[in-house]
Amino acid sequence: MKWQSLILTGILFAAVLFAACTDEAIPGPAPVPVNTILPGQVLYSTGEVTGNGIPGGTIDTITFTIGLGPGEKPVNMENISIFYADAIRTETLEPVSGYRGEPPAGEWGIMHVRDEIGAPNNRLEDKEQFIIRINPKAPLVPRQFISIVVKPPSGTPLTIRRVSPPTIMKENNILAPL
């Protein structure tokens, strides 16, 4: 009986000792999803953020889609401000004339409205999504971090943070979330 209890104690001791010795990684904090709507945020980003530019060179324009948060009142796009920042500069982008169309350098424009309600207007409503294109004055280089802030007249601004790809193509360069 004495030797059996020693074996049993040894097995239990080994089990406790080896229980913490595994190859499994200790889980860290859960990452915040990219398109999360924060408290007080009126607008949200949906889908990919893409850029077009010069193959093997730089990205000139950046396109993203925004929608209205659940339960939020319509937002007149004529009253929003869009800011662009990278490691070197920050700039306030101006809307194109009439708010719709391809933006020249230093401007932004509404390219398309998905699920538009009623007659065309510049008001973001219910389930509509506005596809917006910005054209910063300085082009985006490979692996560059950027922030785009879309500030509605009230509520928390929408901040989009991305990094440009290591190799730039002519179209559909996906800017990866940070």
Side-chain angles (χ1 to χ4, degrees), residues 145-162:
F145 296 98
I146 64 159
S147 291
I148 301 166
V149 177
V150 182
K151 186 176 183 300
S154 64
T156 304
L158 166 64
T159 302
I160 302 169
R161 291 184 178 92
R162 297 291 193 269

Side-chain angles (χ1 to χ4, degrees), residues 15-83:
V16 169
L17 194 63
F18 292 116
C21 300
T22 64
D23 293 5
E24 296 176 17
I26 298 172
V32 176
V34 174
N35 296 333
T36 301
I37 301 174
L38 301 174
Q41 191 171 323
V42 176
L43 305 173
Y44 72 96
S45 173
T46 179
E48 301 288 346
V49 176
T50 60
N52 294 337
I54 301 166
T58 59
I59 292 175
D60 300 321
T61 61
I62 301 166
T63 306
F64 57 93
T65 304
I66 62 170
L68 192 61
E72 294 293 337
K73 293 180 181 172
V75 171
N76 187 342
M77 296 300 285
E78 295 173 11
N79 296 330
I80 69 163
S81 300
I82 299 181
F83 306 95

Side-chain angles (χ1 to χ4, degrees), residues 3-142:
W3 64 274
Q4 292 171 340
S5 62
L6 278 173
I7 291 175
L8 183 58
T9 304
I11 291 172
L12 287 173
F13 180 72
V16 169
L17 194 63
F18 292 116
C21 300
T22 64
D23 293 5
E24 296 176 17
I26 298 172
V32 176
V34 174
N35 296 333
T36 301
I37 301 174
L38 301 174
Q41 191 171 323
V42 176
L43 305 173
Y44 72 96
S45 173
T46 179
E48 301 288 346
V49 176
T50 60
N52 294 337
I54 301 166
T58 59
I59 292 175
D60 300 321
T61 61
I62 301 166
T63 306
F64 57 93
T65 304
I66 62 170
L68 192 61
E72 294 293 337
K73 293 180 181 172
V75 171
N76 187 342
M77 296 300 285
E78 295 173 11
N79 296 330
I80 69 163
S81 300
I82 299 181
F83 306 95
Y84 168 85
D86 57 34
I88 300 169
R89 74 198 60 76
T90 299
E91 61 182 288
T92 302
L93 301 169
E94 297 295 325
V96 298
S97 179
Y99 295 90
R100 294 183 185 235
E102 191 68 41
E107 296 185 7
W108 66 271
I110 300 167
M111 300 306 295
H112 178 70
V113 179
R114 207 177 280 148
D115 301 324
E116 191 160 20
I117 297 171
N121 57 44
N122 294 331
R123 199 172 52 244
L124 179 60
E125 300 176 278
D126 197 25
K127 304 219 184 299
E128 290 180 336
Q129 294 181 343
F130 278 36
I131 294 129
I132 296 176
R133 181 166 295 154
I134 66 170
N135 189 347
K137 290 179 184 171
L140 198 61
V141 297

